[in-house]
Amino acid sequence: VQLQASGGGLVQAGGSLGLSCAASGRTYSTRTMSWFRQAPGQEREFVAALSWSGGITSYADSVKGRFTISRDNARNTVYLQMNNLKPGDTAVYYCAAGLVGSAYIRAPNVYTYWGQGTLVTVSS
């Protein structure tokens, strides 16, 4: 499975950006798709996750109400719409995919596949 993330860029605080991540290959292994981010000098942290059916959705408290994760299973693509961005959202954003149980959906080490990362910079 290969994951190709795109959509990062520079935006002013309060602005919006949309990220996408397209999966190719054995996409039956991408039942859960998620976004993580890593700021300079920080550990990778969970942002949002969505199960194949959409029945399980999870957000980090820091982005709840501002970010929306969605997916198009026909296109094997997951999206992250980010609104009301803050300077603290500046990071490299990674998409991840795998066969992940709901109890572990926020743990980066359980995901098998990772995209290359896309940089989001929010200026104040």
Side-chain angles (χ1 to χ4, degrees):
V1 174
Q2 291 79 43
L3 301 179
Q4 181 69 43
S6 61
L10 173 65
V11 65
Q12 288 188 333
S16 299
L17 274 178
L19 306 181
S20 63
C21 176
S24 60
R26 294 184 176 182
T27 55
Y28 66 82
S29 298
T30 60
R31 289 296 178 176
T32 298
M33 296 190 77
S34 299
W35 290 95
F36 290 79
R37 66 187 183 186
Q38 188 167 17
Q42 303 294 319
E43 293 186 353
R44 192 168 296 189
E45 66 172 357
F46 171 78
V47 175
L50 183 61
S51 64
W52 177 267
S53 66
I56 298 174
T57 308
S58 182
Y59 293 95
D61 289 344
S62 59
V63 307
K64 200 172 295 184
R66 301 187 297 122
F67 290 12
T68 302
I69 189 171
S70 61
R71 66 189 295 168
D72 182 342
N73 290 336
R75 297 177 182 270
N76 297 313
T77 300
V78 65
Y79 305 95
L80 185 70
Q81 179 62 38
M82 305 182 292
N83 298 327
N84 191 21
L85 282 160
K86 304 175 181 180
D89 295 319
T90 295
V92 176
Y93 283 70
Y94 298 90
C95 58
L99 297 172
V100 179
S102 59
Y104 306 99
I105 206 167
R106 297 183 174 215
N109 58 305
V110 302
Y111 288 86
T112 306
Y113 307 104
W114 289 86
Q116 82 283 11
T118 184
L119 177 63
V120 172
T121 304
V122 184
S123 63
S124 57

